[in-house]
């Protein structure tokens, strides 16, 4: 009797050991799938997920994920192609509008040199203001198509985020003073370095600060953390949550910035994502907060 009990216990121990090994192998395979999936989402690659396990259920899971990755790749390529077509269209339209607009400006200058009644002079001044606004919008459209493709054509380098922020703030110092805005800056004691395109980063920070100048009620707080995150905060009573949700949309403007094309923050979003960063905006208790984070890609290598 004792022999049978001993055999039964031994049999159970063998089963438990086999189940333990099975669980360890499955956990390893799940970890492989998780890491491979995260890498495929982060990088543009045609390599699909492959696991070391021969478990049919895990292999089926990996294959199902590969199917979705193929669909995602097709959608991404279609989006990129459509985005390039939009950029080309914007560039061509902006270029085509420059020539007739230059002619209009020339005839307007000639008309201003002739003798006009006070009412005609007033109308000409209104026309001149509208034409200048149109010229600015065309230049912004042209600059937008160039900005969103800039990082694909230029090299990346090590950039100190704190130094880049200081340079941009220096460039906007006069504008901030004219709006009576004294920014409160918080930076870490150690330098925060990322592998980025320097001019694109300056464009991003400049657009964010320019946006803050438009909507700020007189304050601006900027912080940089050791993990590469910029946080811009300011009171903005003229905004609401629905408007903030649309701030990164192309050509979206709010009434307080009617002269703007609405491209500043969309450019910042495009450039940030091209450099593997993230940008978000939220609005709580009258405070607009925009966060930009550039992860240290060396952690993923």
């Amino acid at each position: 009797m004792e022999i049978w009990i001993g055999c039964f216990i031994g049999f159970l121990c063998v089963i438990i050991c086999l189940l333990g090994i099975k669980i360890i192998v499955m956990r390893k395979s799940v970890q492989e799938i998780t890491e491979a999936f995260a890498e495929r989402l982060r990088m543009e690659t045609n390599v699909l997920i492959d696991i070391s396990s021969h478990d049919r259920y895990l292999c089926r899971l990996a294959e199902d994920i590969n199917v979705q990755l193929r669909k995602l790749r097709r959608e991404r390529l279609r989006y990129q192609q459509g985005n390039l077509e939009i950029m080309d269209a914007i560039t061509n339209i902006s270029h085509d509008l420059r020539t007739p607009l230059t002619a209009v400006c020339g005839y307007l200058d000639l008309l201003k040199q002739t003798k006009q009644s006070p009412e005609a002079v007033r109308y000409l001044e209104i026309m001149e203001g509208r034409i200048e606004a149109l010229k600015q919008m065309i230049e912004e459209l042209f600059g937008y198509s160039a900005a969103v493709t800039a990082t694909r054509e230029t090299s990346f380098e090590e950039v100190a985020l704190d130094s880049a922020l200081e340079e941009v703030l220096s460039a906007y110092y006069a504008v901030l003073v004219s709006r009576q805005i004294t920014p409160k800056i918080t930076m870490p004691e150690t330098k925060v370095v990322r592998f980025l395109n320097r001019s694109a980063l300056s464009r991003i920070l400049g657009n964010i600060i320019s946006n803050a100048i438009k909507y700020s009620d007189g304050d601006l707080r900027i912080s940089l953390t050791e993990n590469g995150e910029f946080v811009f905060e300011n009171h903005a009573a003229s905004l609401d949550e629905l408007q903030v949700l649309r701030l990164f949309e192309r050509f979206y403007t709010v009434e307080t910035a009617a002269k703007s094309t609405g491209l500043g923050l969309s450019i910042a979003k495009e450039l940030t994502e091209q450099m593997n960063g993230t940008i978000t905006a939220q609005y709580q208790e009258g405070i607009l907060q925009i966060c930009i984070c550039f992860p240290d890609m060396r952690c993923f290598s």
Side-chain angles (χ1 to χ4, degrees):
M1 185 67 179
E2 293 180 354
I3 296 176
W4 286 106
I5 294 175
C7 292
F8 181 71
I9 293 175
F11 180 71
L12 288 179
C13 291
V14 171
I15 292 177
I16 292 173
C17 291
L18 291 175
L19 289 175
I21 295 173
K22 180 71 172 180
I23 292 173
I24 293 174
V25 172
M26 291 182 67
R27 289 183 62 181
K28 179 182 177 182
S29 299
V30 170
Q31 184 66 25
E32 289 176 355
I33 293 175
T34 302
E35 293 177 355
F37 183 65
E39 184 180 1
R40 301 307 184 274
L41 291 179
R42 189 174 63 251
M43 302 173 61
E44 293 187 9
T45 175
N46 292 325
V47 180
L48 298 176
I49 294 176
D50 187 23
I51 59 175
S52 57
S53 173
H54 296 289
D55 182 84
R56 61 175 179 173
Y57 296 105
L58 289 175
C59 290
R60 184 183 301 172
L61 174 61
E63 181 57 31
D64 290 341
I65 294 176
N66 285 333
V67 171
Q68 298 303 318
L69 284 174
R70 293 187 188 99
K71 292 181 180 179
L72 178 62
R73 186 181 303 121
R74 288 195 296 268
E75 292 298 322
R76 179 183 293 174
L77 290 174
R78 188 169 67 175
Y79 167 78
Q80 291 175 345
Q81 181 62 33
N83 201 40
L84 289 175
E85 291 175 358
I86 292 175
M87 293 303 101
D88 290 339
I90 290 176
T91 302
N92 294 333
I93 292 172
S94 301
H95 184 270
D96 292 341
L97 288 176
R98 283 176 170 178
T99 301
L101 189 60
T102 301
V104 171
C105 291
Y107 283 111
L108 183 62
D109 290 337
L110 292 175
L111 188 59
K112 288 170 60 179
Q113 296 175 12
T114 63
K115 187 176 181 180
Q116 304 289 338
S117 65
E119 188 175 13
V121 171
R122 183 169 65 88
Y123 291 155
L124 288 175
E125 290 177 351
I126 294 174
M127 290 174 58
E128 187 174 22
R130 296 294 184 269
I131 289 174
E132 286 299 321
L134 182 59
K135 287 174 62 177
Q136 179 182 353
M137 291 181 181
I138 290 175
E139 291 302 321
E140 288 185 13
L141 284 171
F142 191 79
Y144 173 73
S145 60
V148 296
T149 56
T151 55
R152 295 191 180 99
E153 300 174 356
T154 56
S155 59
F156 287 21
E157 60 183 298
E158 287 191 347
V159 179
L161 300 186
D162 49 347
S163 299
L165 178 59
E166 291 173 354
E167 292 176 2
V168 174
L169 284 172
S170 298
Y172 280 86
Y173 175 76
V175 182
L176 290 167
V177 170
S178 67
R179 291 291 304 273
Q180 298 181 344
I181 299 175
T182 302
K184 296 181 179 180
I185 315 298
T186 303
M187 294 190 186
E189 295 182 358
T190 58
K191 282 189 174 297
V192 182
V193 179
R194 293 292 185 268
F195 199 67
L196 305 170
N197 179 270
R198 185 181 298 274
S199 61
L201 177 61
S202 298
R203 184 71 179 270
I204 293 168
L205 298 177
N207 287 0
I208 299 298
I209 294 174
S210 177
N211 180 78
I213 292 172
K214 290 178 184 176
Y215 303 117
S216 175
D217 293 338
D219 64 325
L220 176 59
R221 296 182 298 278
I222 305 175
S223 63
L224 172 63
T225 63
E226 293 183 354
N227 65 351
E229 182 180 41
F230 293 98
V231 180
F232 299 82
E233 293 181 317
N234 60 271
H235 284 84
S238 60
L239 299 178
D240 58 44
E241 293 183 6
L242 293 178
Q243 290 172 332
V244 171
L245 288 175
R246 301 187 61 188
L247 282 180
F248 297 115
E249 294 182 11
R250 293 173 183 167
F251 311 114
Y252 176 74
T253 61
V254 296
E255 293 180 358
T256 54
K259 294 183 179 180
S260 171
T261 57
L263 292 173
L265 291 184
S266 61
I267 290 175
K269 184 176 186 295
E270 291 274 359
L271 295 180
T272 299
E273 292 179 349
Q274 285 181 20
M275 295 190 292
N276 299 312
T278 59
I279 181 169
T280 58
Q282 62 179 356
Y283 188 76
Q284 293 181 347
E285 299 180 354
I287 297 177
L288 172 64
Q289 182 186 83
I290 295 180
C291 299
I292 309 172
C293 185
F294 293 104
D296 189 352
M297 300 308 295
R298 291 174 296 183
C299 298
F300 302 101
S301 59

